[in-house]
Amino acid sequence: MDAAPNCAICNAPAYPECPCESERLQIAVKQAEKRAMDARLDEIRDWVISHARQHILNAFERLTSSRKQAHATYLSSLPNYAIYMQYSGHPPIHPAYIAQLQAQISEAHAELKRGIDADWRASVLRYPEVLDYFYGLVSLRLPDERSPRVLEPPFAVAGYMDKGYGKEHKKKKRRDSSAAPDRMYSAVAERLRGPPSAPTPPIQSSGYRPPMYGY
Ligand SMILES: [Zn+2]
C-alpha cells in the first residue's frame, strides 16, 4: 500500500504528482519574501541610489571645475582680453581686434559647454558600475547553520511542530481524510526533495519544513 499522502490541496493521489502544492508553496514563498524583504530592499535601494548619485555628482564637479579652470586660464591668455574686461567689452582698441577677441571668446564658451556636456554624459554613463559598487558594499548574510535559532526556531520550542504529531493524533488523522498541516508540510517537503514536475522555489531541502500557508 502506498503511504504517500494525497495532494493537500486537491486530494489527488500522490502519483502522478499534481502541481498544486509546489504552486501554493511558490505563492507562499513570494508572499513571505515580500513581507521579509520589501522594506529592507527599499531601504537598501535608497541608500545605494543616494550614494551613487552623490559620487557621480562629486566626480562631475571635479571634472567641470578643472575644465572651468582651464577655460579661465585660456581666456586670460588671449591678446587684449584684460583690457577688454577692464572696459566691460568696449575697450579703446581697433574694432578688428575686438571682433577677433569676441570670436575667440565665443568659441571658447561653446567649447566649454561641449566639454561640460561630455563630462556629464561620461559621469552618468558610469551609473551601472557605481551602482554595482555600492550594492556590493551591502551585506545580506545567511545565518550560521549551527545557530540555535536555526536548529531550534521558537515555534518549534513552543511545541508548534509537535502539535498533532503524537501517536494518538496520528491514528486519528489517518482515518480522517482531511490533511493535517504537519503531514501536508512534510509531504510538500518530501516532494521538493524529488525531481519536481513543476518549477519549485530554490529551497535548501535538508531538514526544511515549509512555512505555514496563507490559505
Ligand atoms: Zn493537487
Side-chain angles (χ1 to χ4, degrees):
M1 186 200 153
D2 187 5
N6 288 354
C7 172
I9 313 301
C10 74
N11 204 35
Y15 303 101
E17 191 177 312
C18 76
C20 304
E21 289 174 6
S22 62
E23 282 169 10
R24 292 300 179 106
L25 178 57
Q26 281 190 73
I27 292 168
V29 168
K30 279 207 181 88
Q31 291 171 340
E33 188 176 82
K34 199 169 167 55
R35 289 190 295 271
M37 302 300 287
D38 272 10
R40 293 169 74 189
L41 287 177
D42 286 349
E43 187 190 353
I44 289 169
R45 186 182 307 113
D46 288 347
W47 184 87
V48 166
I49 289 173
S50 79
H51 283 77
R53 181 179 288 144
Q54 198 54 55
H55 171 79
I56 296 285
L57 288 176
N58 290 346
F60 171 69
E61 209 52 56
R62 274 196 299 277
L63 285 174
T64 52
S65 76
S66 63
R67 190 180 291 280
K68 284 172 184 165
Q69 194 67 50
H71 172 72
T73 305
Y74 169 74
L75 288 183
S76 57
S77 76
L78 291 173
N80 302 314
Y81 185 74
I83 193 172
Y84 180 83
M85 292 306 284
Q86 187 188 334
Y87 284 87
S88 306
H90 304 284
I93 57 174
H94 196 282
Y97 290 142
I98 297 176
Q100 189 195 13
L101 180 61
Q102 282 174 338
Q104 286 171 315
I105 290 172
S106 156
E107 174 50 34
H109 279 135
E111 182 62 30
L112 175 66
K113 178 70 167 66
R114 281 192 293 273
I116 288 174
D117 287 347
D119 290 343
W120 180 241
R121 200 178 312 120
S123 300
V124 167
L125 288 177
R126 287 184 58 234
Y127 260 118
E129 168 202 350
V130 174
L131 288 169
D132 282 350
Y133 173 78
F134 283 107
Y135 266 114
L137 297 184
V138 177
S139 71
L140 274 178
R141 51 172 198 83
L142 294 175
D144 188 337
E145 288 298 339
R146 292 160 303 177
S147 153
R149 292 168 70 194
V150 172
L151 296 173
E152 291 290 332
F155 44 78
V157 172
Y160 167 81
M161 288 311 243
D162 292 329
K163 215 175 254 179
Y165 226 58
K167 273 178 183 158
E168 285 308 306
H169 218 97
K170 229 175 181 175
K171 267 180 203 159
K172 191 181 159 209
K173 284 292 169 189
R174 231 172 241 153
R175 285 196 297 273
D176 192 347
S177 67
S178 73
D182 41 27
R183 265 180 73 210
M184 185 175 80
Y185 300 147
S186 47
V188 173
E190 203 58 55
R191 261 159 235 193
L192 286 172
R193 282 183 202 117
S197 61
T200 55
I203 288 171
Q204 290 283 343
S205 65
S206 69
Y208 175 82
R209 284 171 188 275
M212 184 143 66
Y213 289 2
Y215 44 82

